[in-house]
Amino acid sequence: MVKTADLVGDLYPGYVYRDAPRNVYWETTIACDLACKHCRADAISERDPLELTGEEARALMRDIKTMGSMLILTGGDPMKRPDLFDLIAYAREIHLPVSITPSMTPTVTRDAVRQFKELGIAAMGVSLDGPDAETHDAFRGVPGTFDNSMRALHWAREFRIPVQVNTTITGETLPHVERLYALLRDTAAPPVRRWSLFLLVPIGRGSQLRTPSADQVESLFEWVYGTAREAPFHIGTVEAPHYRRFWIQRRLAEGMSHPELNQAAKRMGFGVRDGNGVIFVSHQGNVYPAGFLPSPLLGNVRERSLSEIYRHSPALTRLRDMDRLNGKCGACEFRWACGGSRARAYSMTGDEYGSDPFCNYEPALSPIG
């Protein structure tokens, strides 16, 4: 009989993403007109004069192209950069795939969404943290944001741009998840390809929010697992790598074979985590393992190329080694497929190698088949 520990090791045989990330997240600017309660960046209304220039951004794009990665434009609000459309046009000129997550403010007009389509944006992120204006606008800090999001979804459908809806899961938003799913499922307008549930990492303004308990997160996983089977779009979790542990346990219990599990693991991106498969570049060019993990500082793209930093940083090599983890994450047989959220471990315990506080799994108490 194949032991669970051996099976999980086969699902993730080593540093698959050591040479190039799947996704590069570039914080184009720190400027944003919203006042979101969970904001990682503590965004402000004005641009930072030290943010990367257009030429520096183009150099970064060329480097990302050599790695074969996807570029995701984040912020702050990318719409606050006056050269945004020029930068997207350049990225597409060099055949670099680009997605964008604009803030849902009045700057996201029908004409802007049309330009995204004409320039070849691969996908657009739209934030919805509640099923109605009262809930969502309270979370985002500005009245009218819910309506802006719904209009953006309508325009994305009109111009046939794939959409990823992003929802932050906190103690405040968790009770509304099922109603939000019903809205996305039943509303004719959204062209939703993926619904991503971001489990709160309490940094920046988010440190003031209520965190769900580990048991509540496990119940959410149960709901996601069941709902995903009938949903008209993909439902995924972000900063929740322990959903992979939950998923493996459920699939094994249902009798999924080893080869079938292996194929599914590849599609689900097992092993992708902070600094391994994803990397973050700040508006000033600083490189971190992820947007929610501002430690350690790995370098700056003004001094070394992102590809060199990603491939040769000793700190990243250490962070990718799941045998270095502490606590129950270090003892867990699922650590190579999961690894826990390094960002949440750091934000809540001060140790990026510590256990993820949102996971209720106890390896020492669980039988290994």
Side-chain angles (χ1 to χ4, degrees):
M1 181 173 66
V2 178
K3 289 187 176 181
T4 302
D6 295 336
L7 173 59
V8 175
D10 289 345
L11 291 177
Y12 185 68
Y15 301 132
V16 176
Y17 303 100
R18 63 184 174 189
D19 292 326
R22 275 190 172 193
N23 296 329
V24 176
Y25 293 85
W26 173 37
E27 180 187 63
T28 54
T29 178
I30 201 172
C32 182
D33 293 328
L34 299 182
C36 303
K37 290 183 176 180
H38 71 298
C39 184
R40 155 200 69 74
D42 278 327
I44 57 178
S45 59
E46 302 299 323
R47 294 172 61 198
D48 183 346
L50 298 180
E51 68 189 28
L52 294 182
T53 66
E55 282 307 307
E56 289 169 331
R58 288 175 176 84
L60 174 62
M61 290 176 177
R62 290 191 295 272
D63 188 36
I64 296 171
K65 169 64 179 175
T66 67
M67 292 191 289
S69 307
M70 162 81 78
L71 172 63
I72 293 94
L73 304 175
T74 71
D77 181 7
M79 301 298 291
K80 296 285 279 187
R81 277 194 72 119
D83 59 351
L84 174 66
F85 291 106
D86 291 337
L87 291 175
I88 296 173
Y90 179 76
R92 299 304 299 130
E93 179 184 326
I94 63 173
H95 305 290
L96 172 64
V98 181
S99 295
I100 188 169
T101 57
S103 297
M104 291 294 108
T105 72
T107 60
V108 181
T109 62
R110 180 178 180 274
D111 185 60
V113 177
R114 177 188 58 78
Q115 289 186 70
F116 290 157
K117 175 64 177 182
E118 292 176 351
L119 289 169
I121 283 288
M124 181 173 73
V126 174
S127 295
L128 273 176
D129 297 294
D132 51 48
E134 179 182 5
T135 307
H136 177 78
D137 290 359
F139 192 77
R140 293 285 161 173
V142 175
T145 308
F146 178 82
D147 291 338
N148 293 338
S149 293
M150 296 305 292
R151 279 192 292 267
L153 287 170
H154 177 78
W155 292 325
R157 180 173 186 262
E158 177 184 353
F159 295 113
R160 299 186 178 183
I161 298 177
V163 166
Q164 174 175 306
V165 172
N166 300 320
T167 300
T168 303
I169 301 298
T170 71
E172 291 83 359
T173 63
L174 183 59
H176 306 288
V177 166
E178 293 190 35
R179 285 181 56 216
L180 181 52
Y181 168 69
L183 173 70
L184 297 176
R185 180 195 62 201
D186 299 338
T187 301
V192 178
R193 295 285 182 86
R194 181 183 180 91
W195 183 28
S196 290
L197 304 176
F198 283 70
L199 266 62
L200 176 70
V201 176
I203 64 171
R205 294 183 199 137
S207 61
Q208 305 303 311
L209 294 173
R210 287 193 295 117
T211 58
S213 69
D215 287 344
Q216 287 177 313
V217 170
E218 196 78 1
S219 296
L220 175 67
F221 287 170
E222 184 75 39
W223 181 84
V224 168
Y225 186 84
T227 305
R229 293 188 164 187
E230 56 92 18
F233 42 76
H234 178 78
I235 303 178
T237 55
V238 180
E239 286 298 346
H242 49 310
Y243 180 72
R244 300 165 190 159
R245 179 266 307 163
F246 179 93
W247 186 90
I248 292 170
Q249 289 177 304
R250 290 298 300 269
R251 290 297 192 181
L252 287 174
E254 293 169 3
M256 178 176 272
S257 70
H258 188 175
E260 289 174 325
L261 202 59
N262 230 321
Q263 285 301 114
K266 293 175 183 177
R267 293 194 302 270
M268 294 179 67
F270 276 29
V272 174
R273 63 179 71 86
D274 303 328
N276 192 58
V278 298
I279 200 75
F280 177 81
V281 181
S282 81
H283 64 285
Q284 294 185 356
N286 290 325
V287 180
Y288 299 100
F292 291 98
L293 180 54
S295 175
L297 171 60
L298 303 169
N300 189 289
V301 297
R302 285 176 164 137
E303 299 165 1
R304 297 171 62 204
S305 70
L306 180 64
S307 56
E308 182 182 355
I309 293 171
Y310 185 86
R311 290 167 180 162
H312 303 298
S313 168
L316 275 186
T317 299
R318 290 192 295 272
L319 193 64
R320 292 170 188 154
D321 184 357
M322 295 298 97
D323 289 337
R324 290 178 176 268
L325 298 183
N326 303 319
K328 67 180 185 180
C329 277
C332 183
E333 67 271 26
F334 295 96
R335 64 188 177 278
W336 282 98
C338 166
S341 170
R342 298 300 93 221
R344 190 157 43 249
Y346 177 75
S347 70
M348 296 182 72
T349 73
D351 178 10
E352 59 263 46
Y353 296 95
S355 294
D356 185 340
F358 279 16
C359 182
N360 73 352
Y361 182 63
E362 295 291 344
L365 303 179
S366 302
I368 299 176

